[in-house]
Amino acid sequence: MELSRITELAKEDPGRKFFSIAHWLTVEALYEAFYSLRKHAAAGVDEVTFEEYEKHAIGSIRTLHERLKGNSYRAQPLRRIYIPKEDGRKRPISIPALEDKIVQKATVTLLNAIYEQDFLACSYGFRAGRSPHQGLNEVGRVICREPTACVLELDISSYFDSIVREQLMEMIERRISDASILRLIRKWINIGVIDEGRLLVSETGTGQGQIISPLLANVYLHYVLDVWLESEVKPRLKGKVFEIRYADDAVLCFQYREDAEKVMRVLPKRFAKYGLTLHPEKTRLVEFGRYALAKAERAGTKPATFDFLGFTHQCARSRRGKFTVHVKSMKKRLKRAFKAIAEWCQTHRHDPVAQQQQALNAKLRGHYQYYGRATNYRSLRQFYQGVRRLWKKWLNRRTRGKTLSWDVYAQLLRRHPLLRPRIAHPWARMASLT
């Protein structure tokens, strides 16, 4: 879909409103959106899978397009599922029907052509060409190269469920005036949820799990936090402050603690104005940086740490004695990963060994791909050894009274080796921090 002209107009004039863009939701755009969906994603309340829809995709998408043009398109309720969180609670996920996914995907592509020109450089979540690791690199760069005395770790309670819809729509309308697009967005954020056979309708939130939700969530925090911090807060501070945000996870790095404390006082009020609440336990201000490390070394103590994007960040010294930042996998993330492996091994313990090996290596590869940062090898090694132990434990349960000794298991591993730890993000690919 050719959207370069919209991109140019959005870039040229940050205040421009787009009155007529719904015509870009063409048959071709919908078709492209369909084939960009995950083929094995969970089905919504319609119970239609990708494979089933693909059989008659051309005709179905043309019919869908006609319904959009004729304003007869109706969004279907979301299907609610729950996934476990690190604190033992469950996170609600809302799954749209397949055709709603298609229209949302095409709409996101269209709106991204506009909002990518608005979003600030500090935002890394759910944006084309940006990744969590770029955000992590930026955290390291800022702390190592900019004057940093402390870090504010932000955590918003139930962010996606707390967004105030009317305020969100007011933000959207600063850029979008096309009634058809606005009507679609209102349908998606106001649609109910089927939970255990009951239709539930809430007054806030965007339904985490919808394809449109990450973009809407980014727009909301763009105005609530990013623009506010840049235009209103920074000019009033004594020193520098840097924001690094990935969706609703963010850290603020301050040159002076007094600035951080000032922001800490006004931030809850700012968020409350938009229906948001900072988690009282997970929102923390910690001394962090080269001065914090030197202070801890003089006192013979360990400097404070903070968590961001699944990693615990630590003040450290390089081999040459220079200040740097090291990361390691968060303990909660490792615990969650081990639990998932144990459950998989238990369920699949009677599968052929070669098949188990292939699946476990895929899980190890995915873990290394995300957590394989230059200073995190010890955690990778811990995960690898833990997977080996868990696999042996559950293979041992199928031997009908015969114990699987370590010697026999070692022979099995030689025939069916598990993927060893690897650093997927070495120093050479990261911003030089020392």
Side-chain angles (χ1 to χ4, degrees):
M1 183 165 55
E2 184 57 55
L3 297 174
S4 58
R5 181 56 182 160
I6 291 180
T7 297
E8 290 174 9
L9 292 173
K11 193 172 184 179
E12 287 172 4
D13 183 3
R16 174 187 288 272
K17 286 191 175 184
F18 291 85
F19 291 90
S20 179
I21 56 175
H23 63 275
W24 287 98
L25 297 179
T26 61
V27 172
E28 292 75 19
L30 295 173
Y31 201 73
E32 185 177 328
F34 170 65
Y35 276 101
S36 69
L37 299 177
R38 290 193 298 118
K39 292 180 172 57
H40 302 293
V45 294
D46 58 348
E47 299 183 349
V48 177
T49 65
F50 183 97
E51 291 80 4
E52 292 170 350
Y53 197 87
E54 189 178 25
K55 296 174 184 177
H56 309 286
I58 296 176
S60 297
I61 288 175
R62 288 189 181 278
T63 302
L64 174 61
H65 182 253
E66 288 300 319
R67 297 207 310 273
L68 284 170
K69 285 177 61 179
N71 290 328
S72 60
Y73 162 79
R74 297 289 182 269
Q76 297 188 57
L78 306 168
R79 182 170 73 89
R80 174 66 54 81
I81 63 171
Y82 294 90
I83 59 174
K85 297 176 66 174
E86 294 165 359
D87 58 8
R89 296 182 299 166
K90 292 185 177 181
R91 183 193 305 277
I93 299 295
S94 305
I95 303 174
L98 186 63
E99 288 197 331
D100 293 333
K101 292 179 183 178
I102 295 171
V103 183
Q104 287 186 22
K105 181 67 175 180
T107 305
V108 166
T109 302
L110 173 60
L111 294 181
N112 272 338
I114 298 169
Y115 282 108
E116 275 301 312
Q117 316 314 309
D118 295 352
F119 292 150
L120 304 186
C122 62
S123 171
Y124 291 87
F126 304 108
R127 296 179 59 188
R130 293 192 156 223
S131 70
H133 288 281
Q134 290 176 329
L136 290 164
N137 290 346
E138 180 64 5
V139 170
R141 186 199 70 78
V142 166
I143 294 173
C144 289
R145 294 188 176 182
E146 301 290 346
T148 303
C150 54
V151 171
L152 176 57
E153 180 185 349
L154 296 181
D155 188 280
I156 305 173
S157 299
S158 303
Y159 172 61
F160 283 83
D161 294 330
S162 301
I163 292 173
V164 180
R165 292 168 184 167
E166 284 307 310
Q167 290 177 309
L168 169 64
M169 292 308 302
E170 289 173 5
M171 295 173 187
I172 296 290
E173 288 169 10
R174 296 182 188 185
R175 273 300 218 176
I176 309 300
S177 291
D178 188 313
S180 297
I181 297 297
L182 295 175
R183 188 161 50 246
L184 284 175
I185 295 173
R186 284 195 175 92
K187 285 180 180 180
W188 293 326
I189 64 176
N190 289 305
I191 199 70
V193 176
I194 301 295
D195 190 346
E196 296 181 350
R198 297 176 300 164
L199 177 63
L200 306 178
V201 180
S202 63
E203 296 182 358
T204 60
T206 62
Q208 188 173 2
Q210 295 198 84
I211 291 174
I212 193 74
S213 291
L215 172 62
L216 300 181
N218 263 342
V219 170
Y220 204 66
L221 276 185
H222 169 72
Y223 289 109
V224 173
L225 180 61
D226 303 351
V227 173
W228 172 74
L229 192 69
E230 193 69 29
S231 61
E232 297 186 35
V233 177
K234 286 186 179 182
R236 292 177 168 83
L237 298 181
K238 177 181 176 182
K240 293 183 176 181
V241 57
F242 297 88
E243 177 195 1
I244 302 94
R245 180 173 68 81
Y246 190 92
D248 58 326
D249 290 331
V251 292
L252 304 180
C253 303
F254 292 89
Q255 182 177 1
Y256 297 114
R257 185 177 183 90
E258 60 187 275
D259 286 343
E261 291 172 345
K262 185 183 296 185
V263 172
M264 277 282 284
R265 287 193 295 271
V266 299
L267 199 55
K269 299 175 185 177
R270 172 69 179 178
F271 276 12
K273 183 179 176 181
Y274 294 92
L276 305 179
T277 307
L278 288 171
H279 196 293
E281 297 175 3
K282 297 181 181 179
T283 299
R284 303 184 307 130
L285 179 63
V286 298
E287 285 191 344
F288 200 94
R290 62 182 73 251
Y291 306 113
L293 177 59
K295 180 180 177 180
E297 289 173 339
R298 290 193 299 270
T301 59
K302 290 185 177 182
T305 65
F306 69 91
D307 296 331
F308 185 56
L309 296 180
F311 292 89
T312 297
H313 291 65
Q314 304 168 312
C315 296
R317 296 284 181 191
S318 69
R319 293 178 181 178
R320 297 180 181 179
K322 294 183 179 180
F323 171 78
T324 189
V325 176
H326 285 182
V327 297
K328 67 176 183 178
S329 303
M330 287 171 54
K331 290 181 180 179
K332 288 182 179 179
R333 293 292 182 91
L334 267 179
K335 184 178 180 181
R336 184 177 71 181
F338 281 135
K339 182 180 179 182
I341 292 291
E343 290 174 351
W344 188 92
C345 288
Q346 179 181 8
T347 302
H348 296 271
R349 65 186 182 275
H350 295 296
D351 293 355
V353 172
Q355 188 174 320
Q356 291 188 50
Q357 176 216 17
Q358 184 178 9
L360 287 172
N361 277 339
K363 296 178 185 297
L364 286 166
R365 188 177 296 109
H367 188 90
Y368 301 156
Q369 185 61 36
Y370 186 80
Y371 290 99
R373 293 185 69 83
T375 61
N376 197 35
Y377 186 83
R378 183 174 295 179
S379 293
L380 298 186
R381 180 74 181 175
Q382 181 183 351
F383 185 67
Y384 166 75
Q385 291 174 334
V387 172
R388 280 180 36 140
R389 288 193 298 270
L390 287 168
W391 196 24
K392 178 184 181 299
K393 171 184 175 180
W394 289 105
L395 286 176
N396 194 46
R397 297 290 180 91
R398 73 176 198 172
T399 56
R400 296 182 181 179
K402 296 181 181 179
T403 302
L404 179 64
S405 68
W406 279 103
D407 288 339
V408 174
Y409 184 51
Q411 294 175 22
L412 181 146
L413 286 175
R414 281 194 288 272
R415 294 193 303 273
H416 304 283
L418 293 176
L419 193 64
R420 291 184 174 276
R422 58 180 290 269
I423 300 299
H425 306 277
W427 287 114
R429 296 182 186 177
M430 297 166 58
S432 177
L433 304 181
T434 57

